Each structure stands twice: as structure tokens, then as C-alpha cells.
Amino acid sequence: MKILLVEDDKTIAMGLDYSLKQEEYETIVCYNVEEAKKVINLQLNELDLCLFDLSLPDGSGYELCELVKKTSDKPVIFLTALDDEVNVVMGLDMGADDYITKPFRVRELLSRIKSVLRRYHKQPTTQVKNIIEIQNIRINTLEGKVYKNGEEMLLTALEYRLLLIFANHVGQILTRTQLLDRIWDVAGDFVNDNTLTVYIKRLREKLEDDPQSPSLIKTVRGMGYKVGE
């Protein structure tokens, strides 16, 4: 597994680099946005995961995340000293898969990395059909691909997992607690209610004809969400 680590504090970067290598990860370390962009442009296909510090001397981890997600669905974890919901939501909204707030224990970061990688490489065990169709959405579970009106829609691993949960419970009302339990049952304990709101919003933006008036993923006021009748 090859990880791109972008961290401007060289002491922190050296410590993380050492810890990751001890866990047998291969690492590429960059200290600013300019260096990281060169690596992303030349070696993105070789990377398995990206660790981006949010505050960098010549920019931010946001623009690196945006660059990665434009062309690939590589997992991204943010390292942030800003324990601020607005910044966290912004990062998740851009496609980031997780974040960890400094200061953190190395073992916790390693656990987050393994959880995210597991979500990307492990097929959900709830799949029972090869093809699932809901309105104008078609899910090919063998290929892990989603189509809207015949056009492939790029979903992150967690977005895809959330959509599969809905697809396997068509016509049922699922509470937020039920959704959170199912999303993270094999992925770890790092979750909050706000994360679900972000992913519901992102799914609607990608799959609904009118995200402001959703017809696919409906909100059942005071209860949860429902797909289908």
C-alpha cells in the first residue's frame, strides 16, 4: 500500500513517515501543495490513500483533495488542527473519507487508515442481487458501479455503501441510527450524525434530478429516510 503524506511540519511528517513504514506502508512525503500536486499528477494511479494536512504554507489540503477526486476515487483523510465543524463538513463535502484532529495518537491514525482502506477494498456483505434498479438508477453490484439514465456516476466507497443500504431496504423507513450502524458496522467507530447528513446530501446531488426536491431518497419527517414505495 502506497500513501501520499502531505504535512508541512517536518517533525510530524518524519514521525508519521516512520510509523507508516513500520506498518509496512510505502510512503511519499511532501511538505507543501506544489510538491504534492506534482506527485498527484504523475503518480496518482500508484497511490492507495492520501493524508493531507489542511493548513499548508502555499495553500490547503482542500485543493489537493479536489485535485485527487476530480480524476480518481482514491481515499483521502485530512489531518487538521481545526476542531471546527464547518471545516470538517467542507472537507467531507469535497469527497474526503475521514479526518483526524491534532494532536492525535499514531495508533488512532493507523486505525482510521485501515478502516478507510477496508471500506474501499471490501465488498459489502448485504449484496444479494447483481443488478438493482430504482427509478432511473441502476446498480451493478458485481462491478461496484452506479448508473443514472445509463451514464456512470462516480461515488465514493461510503456513498456507494449508503446507496446499497437503501437499495436493499426499498420501501422501508430507515432511521438515522440504523443507517449509521449499517454504514460503519465493518469500518470502525469513528462517526457522528453530521457525517450522515453530508453523505445524504452528496448522494442526492449526484443521483436526484432535483436535489432540493428529492424523489429518490425521501426524508420522512421525524423518522428517517426512505427509498421507493
Side-chain angles (χ1 to χ4, degrees):
M1 293 287 179
K2 183 179 287 188
I3 294 177
L4 171 60
L5 168 62
V6 186
E7 167 62 65
D8 64 318
D9 186 316
K10 294 190 176 182
T11 301
I12 293 176
M14 288 175 61
L16 290 177
D17 182 39
Y18 174 79
S19 297
L20 291 169
K21 285 178 177 173
Q22 290 294 108
E23 294 292 316
E24 299 185 349
Y25 292 110
E26 185 179 348
T27 58
I28 300 175
V29 181
C30 298
Y31 302 106
N32 56 53
V33 169
E34 184 181 0
E35 291 177 5
K37 283 184 175 179
K38 292 177 182 176
V39 173
I40 292 169
N41 288 328
L42 294 174
Q43 302 181 56
L44 182 57
N45 289 338
E46 302 172 22
L47 301 175
D48 293 286
L49 182 139
C50 300
L51 288 174
F52 295 149
D53 187 15
L54 273 187
S55 300
L56 295 164
D58 57 342
S60 77
Y62 292 133
E63 58 187 292
L64 294 178
C65 179
E66 187 176 25
L67 179 61
V68 168
K69 294 295 184 176
K70 272 183 181 178
T71 56
S72 172
D73 189 27
K74 302 291 184 180
V76 172
I77 297 177
F78 281 131
L79 310 176
T80 174
L82 306 172
D83 191 10
D84 182 322
E85 187 174 282
V86 173
N87 290 286
V88 168
V89 170
M90 188 185 300
L92 292 174
D93 219 16
M94 295 181 75
D97 296 271
D98 204 348
Y99 67 94
I100 187 166
T101 304
K102 300 175 184 175
F104 53 81
R105 295 178 180 175
V106 172
R107 298 310 308 177
E108 182 182 0
L109 176 61
L110 292 172
S111 178
R112 301 281 186 108
I113 290 172
K114 289 174 183 176
S115 292
V116 169
L117 288 173
R118 194 160 56 237
R119 294 202 298 271
Y120 270 72
H121 294 110
K122 181 172 180 178
Q123 290 292 326
T125 56
T126 54
Q127 294 181 17
V128 293
K129 299 178 182 178
N130 294 340
I131 300 295
I132 302 174
E133 293 186 349
I134 310 169
Q135 296 183 21
N136 59 341
I137 303 300
R138 186 170 185 264
I139 307 168
N140 186 322
T141 61
L142 287 179
E143 298 178 353
K145 293 182 178 180
V146 177
Y147 301 87
K148 177 183 177 182
N149 297 324
E151 180 183 352
E152 184 179 353
M153 309 302 292
L154 297 178
L155 304 185
T156 67
L158 194 50
E159 288 168 355
Y160 177 71
R161 182 166 175 76
L162 179 58
L163 179 61
L164 271 185
I165 292 168
F166 282 125
N168 286 313
H169 295 83
V170 170
Q172 299 179 32
I173 297 174
L174 296 174
T175 66
R176 296 177 68 86
T177 300
Q178 288 174 322
L179 289 170
L180 289 170
D181 287 345
R182 285 171 168 81
I183 289 173
W184 296 89
D185 59 358
V186 297
D189 301 320
F190 311 106
V191 66
N192 58 53
D193 194 56
N194 185 59
T195 305
L196 178 61
T197 300
V198 171
Y199 280 103
I200 293 286
K201 176 175 177 286
R202 282 165 49 178
L203 264 184
R204 282 173 168 167
E205 288 173 347
K206 292 181 179 181
L207 302 180
E208 300 277 5
D209 291 330
D210 181 2
Q212 301 304 316
S213 182
S215 63
L216 180 68
I217 303 173
K218 300 175 184 176
T219 299
V220 181
R221 190 173 299 278
M223 299 180 70
Y225 301 93
K226 184 174 78 166
V227 167
E229 299 303 327

